[in-house]
Amino acid sequence: MKPFAYHQPDQIPDAAKLLTSIEDSKLVAGGMTLIPTLKQRLANPPALVDLSKLGSLKGITDDGATITIGAMTPHAVVAASKVVQAKIPGLAALASMIGDPAVRSRGTIGGSVANNDPAADYPAGVLGLGATVITSAREIAADKFFLGLFETALEPGEIITAIRFPVPLKAGYAKFKAPASRYALVGVFVAKITDGVRVAVTGAGPGVFRVPPMEAALSGNFDPSAIAAIKIDNDGLTSDIHAEADYRAHLVTVMAKRAVDAALS
Amino acid sequence: MGNVIGIGAAPKRKEDQRFLTGRGNYVSDIKRPGMTSGVFVRSPHGHAVLRGIDKSAALASPGVTAVLTGDDVADDGLGSLPCGWGITDAKGVPMKEPPFPMLAQDKVRFVGDMVAFVIAETPEQANAAAELLKVDYEVLPSVVGVLEAVRPDAPQLFDDVPNNICCDWELGDKAAVETAFKKAAHVAKLSLVNNRLIGNPMEPRAAIAEYEPGTDRFTLWTTSQFPHVVRFLMGALVLNIPQHKLRVVAPDVGGGFGVKQFHYGEEAVITWAAKRVRRPVKWVASRSEGYVSDRHGRDHVTEAELALDETGKFLAFRVNTLANMGGYLSTFGPNIPTNLYGPLLGGVYTTPAIYCNVKVVFTNTVPVDAYRGAGRPEATFVLERIVDVAASEMGIDRVEIRRRNMIPKEAYPYQTPVLVQYDSGDPMGCLDGALVAADVKNFGVRKAASASKGKFRGLGYSTYVEACGLAPSRFAGRLGARGGLYESATVRVHPTGQVTVMIGTHNHGQGHETTFAQIVSDKLGVAFENVDIVFGDTDRVQFGMGTYGSRSLVVGGAALSKATDKVIVKGKKIAAHLLEASEGDIQFEAGKFSVAGTDRIKTFEEIAGAAYVPHNYPLEVLEPGLEEQAYYDPVNFTYPGGCHIAEVEVDPETGTVTLVNYTAVDDVGTVINPMIVEGQLHGGIVQGVGQALFENAVYDEGSGQLLSGSLMDYCMPRADHLPMMKVATHSTLCTHTPMGVKGCGEVGTIGSPAAVINAVVDALSHLGVTHVDMPATPNRIWRLLQNASLPVAAE
């Protein structure tokens, strides 16, 4: 690890100011990706701005039609939340499948969404539910937020403060874990909301994406059989030592069916 | 006073008091006054000419003490890292043995090859300086696979090693095998890959070296399974340090599995550097560094053929293997795929003719050496797979074909056609026991239940034998060993009757401090708590060859048993004097010396006291003191074996294989501590399951980059991958070890891969699948099902 300055602001504007005033500084929102990167000396930020003192970024609010989760809420809290379990059980299940107990108690929803790792779980939940990313500056629809491999719509100095999820009619997540890392080799989040069905896939490609043919089929018949024959094009999917692109494409259909099953159960 | 806890008891492990309360003492816990930190700069390329190294920026970096390179090694005239075995080809020509410099000279040959050592005040400063070192590489194409490496146009690692072949080794009667194949009613053929593995002990490797100018002595603390061997190899053959001027300490070590039973270049560089900088130097590997520098295991490509008569009797077995050695010869490297592989190809069967050819091949990968099982899992996998293939092709039940060919219990000792003679065994008894324990008769019910959920269930057998207790020195010497393979133990009885044992094996998780204390407690009748076991320090322990090859109890325990017997013999002489009886009338039992047929008794403590306060003592004929030493060189290997039965369920939708049941009935000879034996079997089986289902070291052909270089990409088996296992022993006693022990450290790893893969193939056999390479990952199974489903659909 190389030396760096460490800041722990207690106001969001202070955090944003530090982030913009110190070039190449990085936010710490759990640090589950950042800290290993620093330890391997692959990143050398001059300063870290730790968001853990920002109490307003923690907690879960039930607004009736929506659930709002503060950006610094750890995965374990979301997984164990009675509110999330009751209203969006698929999201609580997703949070319970991230990493291991240590990661779930340190890693946060804001950190995961801002990092946009192509195999992370939360991007599938956020995009699948059509959630809204709330930042220090504005609100961004999930469809406009995720821009590909580790890329998001966040501007320099912009900090995610919360994610607002609509309460769906039904939702489920199915994840095929990469055997070693336990990231999603393929994870599919399926949500039935008032104006249709959304299907979001993580792990399979360079970033989270939706599957319109599955959404159309499930809008007509919200049952696994409706999508059993829908095949995903291998083009653009990830191929690595764990899974070839055509296998990932196959798994998208399998996991989508299982996500629908989970949503129905 | 505590109790005697003897052979067959299962006390809690003595060493766990410190391990489980965080009071272990590992190399990385050790701090020495004035200690500096060292970092190795390693090649990022699989194959490159080393054109030059510019040290200037690194030397100018804050806190830097020294930057050492291969040129400095050459200037000091230091030796090459030695190989402990010299094998020969069929014509008696010695293997090609290119030098293995401790820091690369002229060329680098694998990603992770060491090019420089940077020493600074702190690890951070050493790391920062290492990043400033300018190394000029002329990158060459890499070759990482054995099939590619032996092609005529392949990149050549060494100018004087044509086609990268280190040795073209063979064993067995080639002509007899050819004759038998001509008469065969059926020939089964199998091509397979034995996947490359990375050991991943929990504690990464580490070392500290210190030089004392006042006494001209060196001390090296290192994460080693065999400190005396490091002292010999490094002191005598690399650094030219006299043995009496070099102390090697291997304190608590967090797992080895073979990875820590080699003399590594890092140890030599650090020891050499400590004298150059006149300060202690410490290096602790990161996990990532371990992936590209810890010796890897396995990595074979094999073609095998089994000839059978019309009744399914094995007539002959022929095996051709290409074995990957990596970029250089490591300490035991060439011995593993040859001498520890070919002689095991007889298995538990009466196959009369066997021939094995192994081409030992250099590639641009981390050197390959012994990893738990070492050669024997590879042999077992080939044999137990092809037995299943033959059974399937001939329409004979898999258990039945094994029975028809198994060595009957009465036929032991049994001479195989591949050098080794099994002293004892009962493979049929293990098989029968396992069939019952695994509830094989109700497998059909379980298979139907799986089918009703859309899953395929399979059962797999592995009836195997291995050779351990390395090793009879004379036999090993004929096979090319350059050292002895005996063990030594000293039993020091203190004046108050407590006992300290100094033994040359090394405990790094196996529970030796408990097992060996039980042996002493049992034999001397002293309390278990009054026996301590000392190991891992060349200044405290007389000598030793260390721990590997399931040898600690078999060879070390035998030395301990012999030394303990000597204590009893001397104790009887002292007792005879004190009890005024003749030595022949003295009996020793349950910690008491007595005159036969009388109630005259001296306790063990009284005898110990008399030995050290020799007022009333036969000083004319007997030396004072009660301390005895023994060396033990085994007369044969030991041959543990058994039957493993794996049961798997395959999800055809995702290709996921789930191990649902696992049963092992093993013959490990006498069991000293059944709890420890069970733990060894559990751990060994899990490592074999890891090879069968999860673990795979993958290199990129061309660049030589390790693609599975972290725990994120190299899948170690985890608790939730495994069912509760049924483990039992069905022991016959070894006829030549003092206590009848056979060893148990590797049996699980040797028996299990074949059992698991045979179960996977069984689950998929109705689709025409005849073989699955390891690891049986979901992607691989799905691919097989994609290809297999075509002919099935056409039916």
Side-chain angles (χ1 to χ4, degrees), chain B residues 41 61 114-115 160 275 399 442 485 534 633 638 665 671 714 718 726 739:
Chain B
V41 177
S61 188
M114 299 187 293
V115 296
D160 53 352
K275 184 173 181 182
V399 173
N442 289 313
L485 288 149
V534 171
D633 201 295
T638 59
V665 175
V671 172
Y714 184 90
R718 303 186 197 186
K726 288 180 199 153
M739 295 174 287

Side-chain angles (χ1 to χ4, degrees), chain A residues 6-219:
Chain A
Y6 179 73
H7 302 279
Q8 213 173 14
D10 53 11
Q11 298 294 327
I12 295 171
D14 295 346
K17 196 173 166 191
L18 283 164
L19 194 57
T20 45
S21 62
I22 309 170
E23 198 180 349
D24 295 330
S25 59
K26 290 277 185 195
L27 292 180
V28 183
M32 296 298 93
T33 301
L34 180 64
I35 303 297
T37 310
L38 295 179
K39 284 173 73 177
Q40 290 181 294
R41 303 174 69 85
L42 295 173
N44 188 20
L48 297 186
V49 181
D50 188 341
L51 303 181
S52 60
K53 280 275 167 71
L54 299 171
S56 62
L57 264 52
K58 288 179 196 161
I60 298 167
T61 321
D62 181 357
D63 312 309
T66 62
I67 301 282
T68 303
I69 302 178
M72 287 297 288
T73 309
H75 312 321
V77 171
V78 176
S81 159
K82 297 281 178 246
V83 171
V84 182
Q85 284 175 358
K87 294 212 158 177
I88 323 179
L91 190 64
L94 176 148
S96 77
M97 291 181 215
I98 299 171
D100 54 34
V103 166
R104 289 195 290 275
S105 64
R106 294 292 299 179
T108 65
I109 188 169
S112 172
V113 169
N115 191 44
N116 192 20
D117 187 298
D121 298 288
Y122 264 129
V126 171
L127 186 65
L129 284 160
T132 302
V133 180
I134 304 167
T135 77
S136 49
R138 58 188 167 143
E139 296 194 352
I140 310 169
D143 283 316
K144 306 267 186 206
F145 182 82
F146 300 106
L147 304 181
L149 193 68
F150 296 107
E151 292 289 326
T152 68
L154 289 171
E155 296 288 339
E158 191 172 9
I159 298 170
I160 299 178
T161 58
I163 316 282
R164 191 170 65 236
F165 292 93
V167 174
L169 301 171
K170 291 181 192 312
Y173 182 60
K175 174 182 183 179
F176 192 88
K177 291 177 182 179
S181 70
R182 305 215 164 172
Y183 272 90
L185 198 67
V186 169
V188 181
F189 199 97
V190 174
K192 184 176 185 182
I193 47 182
T194 44
D195 54 348
V197 173
R198 295 171 67 100
V199 177
V201 178
T202 189
V208 64
F209 62 89
R210 289 173 64 184
V211 188
M214 287 188 179
E215 294 178 349
L218 289 168
S219 296

Side-chain angles (χ1 to χ4, degrees), chain A residues 180 244 246-247 250 257, chain B residues 131 653-654 718 720 779 783:
Chain A
E244 292 153 295
D246 60 342
Y247 176 59
H250 165 78
K257 286 194 301 175
Chain B
E131 286 170 1
E653 242 188 350
T654 62
R718 303 186 197 186
D720 66 354
N779 195 156
R783 179 77 55 204

